[in-house]
Amino acid sequence: MQWFAAIAVVAILVWGLLMLVSMTTGTALPGRPGAPDPDELADLRRRVEELERGAVPPELERRIDRLEARLDRREARELEQDRWTRQARELGLDDDGRGPGAPGPGPHGTGPDVPDPCGPRPDA
């Protein structure tokens, strides 16, 4: 076995042992993405305390107001669309804007009164 292969085998064994230890203890190794960062934890605790006190930054308050306004406009559009749809149904219009019995596209783009240029369909 070459010397570089032996180094690779030893490195793989050490890595496997470290992974086994971290799995059994349930903690992440320092420097890994899942490792807890004390500064980050302190920052998150501070932010949670601010939110629990009700201290909302003004830029967040403005963003909430904009989102509420967008929601109100969307609800108004949906109500208007529902009103138009209900009115169309009362007038007897289909979803595509044609009334019942109106000539429309047949199987090959022809109306119901126009014979099919390809002849009778076998499934009809």
Side-chain angles (χ1 to χ4, degrees):
M1 185 180 325
Q2 298 290 332
W3 63 271
F4 52 86
I7 292 174
V9 168
V10 169
I12 291 171
L13 290 174
V14 169
W15 178 79
L17 183 65
L18 286 173
M19 291 298 113
L20 190 72
V21 167
S22 75
M23 274 191 344
T24 56
T25 60
T27 59
L29 297 172
R32 303 267 311 169
D37 183 16
D39 296 334
E40 184 180 6
L41 289 176
D43 193 33
L44 287 174
R45 284 191 185 104
R46 182 185 53 77
R47 289 177 57 194
V48 167
E49 289 172 1
E50 287 177 3
L51 290 174
E52 287 175 347
R53 283 193 310 247
V56 178
E59 63 272 1
L60 185 59
E61 191 70 39
R62 284 192 303 270
R63 185 171 182 207
I64 290 171
D65 291 341
R66 282 196 316 266
L67 289 173
E68 288 174 347
R70 284 177 56 190
L71 180 63
D72 291 341
R73 287 193 305 266
R74 180 177 292 169
E75 287 175 351
R77 278 194 312 263
E78 288 175 357
L79 287 174
E80 183 69 17
Q81 179 67 32
D82 290 343
R83 190 179 67 77
W84 278 96
T85 304
R86 189 172 41 256
Q87 186 179 10
R89 285 193 186 122
E90 289 172 359
L91 293 174
L93 299 176
D94 294 327
D95 286 337
D96 57 358
R98 296 180 298 120
H108 297 285
T110 59
D113 298 333
V114 179
D116 192 353
C118 298
R121 298 183 59 186
D123 61 334

